[in-house]
Amino acid sequence: MKKSIQLTDTEATLRQLLLDVSNYIVANGGQRPELRFTGGWVRDKLLGHTSKDIDISISSMTGYKFGNLVKAFLESSAINNTKYCQEILGGLTKIEANPEKSKHLETVTTKILGLEVDLVNLRKETYVVDSRNPIMEFGTPEEDASRRDSTVNALFYNLQTSEIEDFTGRGLQDMELKLLKTPMSPYQTFKDDPLRVLRTIRFASRLAYRIDQADEQAMSEESIKEALRLKISRERVGVEVIKMLRGPSPHAALSLIDRLGLYNTIFTNPSPGWSEMANTQHWHIAYDQLLALISTRLGRTNTWVSSQVIANILLKEPRDPEEVYLAWMLCCFVPWAQPKVATSNSSASKFPKSVAATVAREGIKADSKITKIIQEAVLYLPNVIMVKGEAIDQPDQAVKDSKRKQSSISRELHGKAIRQWGPHWRSTVIFALLVQISHAHNQSGASSSVGHQRNPTNSYFKYPERQGLLDSYAAWLSGLMRLDLLNAHQLKPIVNGTQISDALAAKPGPWMKKALDIAFAWQLRNPDERSPEGCIEEIVQRKRELDLE
């Protein structure tokens, strides 16, 4: 950790601009405000990280008023227009036309020199029982620091003196210790604003800091969990979850959520009357396994050959943040993996039916794309396990089947399955693997449970030992790769509807889907054929199946 802060050229220009505005205020008969860079920017600079977001605290006026004074200064004759580039003025003209102003915080957000800048007065807060929105008053630097979620986020950089100010008396020390601790009583801090619970988890995972023991105990209190359920909008919960999963260590975040008993507070359906509780007893196996797969794919660890095969095939682009994010998002819903139907007062055509998708949509306000992917992962879970099982778990039957030509994997069977699972089939298979691996410790499956279903009778919940399971997935996926089926969902039809209609002398109709399915299956069985004649011939021979005669 650095002991002082070195400003970039852009930050130095911003600092000088703000000090010039301060002089301008005094020259026009006003009181000189004390100006400070605050919070996360100070912490990140001390850690040697760059930051494009800067919170600026003002001692004697609201951020909105100060922002307009900045604009007035730049437009005044007192300024030499060559001193500050035109980009600064251009950014601040947005304040008057469209201020992003909170009714509680009197905050203005604008962009200066490519930096996202928040202007806000020093303040103290008074909370009411049923809201996380405080009653705001002007405060001292000490009061402003004490209201923050952790001491390391309560450090200030004084623009006048260029000194770091630690008004809690613990911020710099806790940074040295890599410790997150609330400036005030942890219980009251989290009770006043339960969103701080999620922020603390996010910062702990992002910074690789530990959370103070007293803070962890407060975060685990049932009354704090209840306050989080009642006082925080699910949109805000979802924003924090997304930031955790897109951060540098989603595994650390999920581990904290699990250990602090917060899963059913975060991943829940807030609808009235909801009483379902997910069983998270073995969830840790799932997120540990996903971390191992991602680390293997990135070359960070040496693991079993099976893990390498699985990671190489299912995590096609491990450095793609969207692919990794999606894998972690699906991992969050492993405890809700049972394909149970969730009740809803709304139209079934508009809302997903699985509990997992309902919790995603209502609990963290996941967007339609993520909700659909989660829904499909749960929907296809039994099918993935069945298809994989037919290829690997029962090889003798596969050998006897002449249609498979003594292959343990049928191109037609698996190609059609991948086509059905769609463009996110790899994510669907990852989900199935994580569900199975989290229960592989129990070979009989008698005491296993997925979600709140304590005594599942479905045969696909009975799993082998973990390494055997990884071996079976690796063997199956290797077979798919050998048969060139990894992109079966993208297979382009060798014939089109017009060709089929002409060959059958029939107008297009509902029968066409069946005909195209026959064509797709023929292509899978004949991967080396490039001419459509054989495919059309098969469709003609199976004309009766299309109900045209």
Side-chain angles (χ1 to χ4, degrees), residues 396-407 410 525:
D396 292 340
Q397 180 61 34
V399 170
K400 293 176 183 178
D401 189 345
S402 60
K403 293 181 181 179
R404 300 183 186 184
K405 299 178 182 179
Q406 297 185 346
S407 170
S410 161
R525 294 194 306 274

Side-chain angles (χ1 to χ4, degrees), residues 128-146:
V128 294
V129 175
D130 59 348
S131 174
R132 65 171 291 267
N133 293 319
I135 299 171
M136 308 302 303
E137 300 177 70
F138 281 96
T140 65
E142 292 82 2
E143 290 170 331
D144 192 276
S146 68

